[in-house]
Amino acid sequence: QKSFSGAAVAINPVNTSYANACGDSATYGVIYSRTDGANGWQKVFTSTASNTRFYAVSPDYKTNSQRVHAGGKFNVAAGARNFTYSTNRGVTWSNFVSVDPGDTVLAIAIDSTSGSTYSNILYAGLGNGAGARKSTDGGSNWNTAQLNTHSIIAIALNVASASTVYLSSSAGIWKSTDKLVDPNNTTL
């Protein structure tokens, strides 16, 4: 049996019966899902090529949303990708995109105050000094490159003010006061 090397676990705070874990198993990126609130973990996705790995996983916190987002560096039939999302709580994964081609997604944060059915503002932290990106359409397209000389390893949103985004790198903690709109509003 292949071993699992986990990179991240996320529990949906709105419905704690649902949780996801990601990482790799024998160099193939894998995602596990739990839907019963207990020990019922099931492998729901394995990449089709070796030397791939998931580093980040995050559920959408909207009450009726079934989306779960995952990032890393992995290969699918369409080629190299670094971000995916599921629309059924992680049971199936079929939406694969590149946040920034060639880089690894290390962190994901979701603005649950955005969108109606699901959160449409997402943030991705990239490795290899590629900085941070923002999506305003639920993860299909990415823009707003900031901190391009830094690897962003963690992202958090201020729950009291969703316009404040914190980004962690080896240089320290960065703070954006406008959802990464203007680089001049992102300070160390």
Side-chain angles (χ1 to χ4, degrees):
Q1 180 171 353
K2 298 177 182 176
S3 64
F4 172 66
S5 176
V9 176
I11 298 171
N12 188 321
V14 176
N15 185 343
T16 58
S17 293
Y18 296 97
N20 297 91
C22 68
D24 71 77
S25 177
T27 75
Y28 288 84
V30 295
I31 298 175
Y32 283 82
S33 183
R34 182 194 77 191
T35 59
D36 62 4
N39 295 321
W41 290 96
Q42 296 178 7
K43 188 186 302 185
V44 293
F45 178 79
T46 302
S47 63
T48 59
S50 63
N51 298 317
T52 62
R53 182 177 174 95
F54 290 98
Y55 289 95
V57 64
S58 184
D60 191 340
Y61 301 153
K62 286 209 175 290
T63 302
N64 295 318
S65 178
Q66 295 187 14
R67 284 189 173 220
V68 180
H69 307 87
K73 190 169 187 176
F74 45 91
N75 292 298
V76 293
R81 301 292 186 259
N82 54 18
F83 179 83
T84 184
Y85 61 92
S86 167
T87 57
N88 58 6
R89 291 194 173 101
V91 176
T92 59
W93 299 80
S94 58
N95 305 293
F96 297 93
V97 299
S98 287
V99 174
D100 189 58
D103 292 310
T104 303
V105 172
L106 300 175
I108 298 171
I110 300 168
D111 179 356
S112 61
T113 66
S114 66
S116 56
T117 309
Y118 60 88
S119 300
N120 59 2
I121 297 178
L122 311 173
Y123 300 92
L126 301 167
N128 302 319
R133 302 291 184 275
K134 176 181 171 181
S135 173
T136 58
D137 62 5
S140 295
N141 296 288
W142 294 83
N143 53 29
T144 315
Q146 286 197 23
L147 304 173
N148 281 343
T149 60
H150 299 279
S151 294
I152 304 300
I153 57 174
I155 303 173
L157 302 179
N158 183 339
V159 294
S161 171
S163 62
T164 303
V165 180
Y166 296 94
L167 306 109
S168 176
S169 75
S170 61
I173 306 294
W174 298 84
K175 178 182 178 182
S176 169
T177 56
D178 65 357
K179 296 185 177 190
L180 293 182
V181 172
D182 182 350
N184 294 319
N185 292 330
T186 303
T187 57
L188 185 60

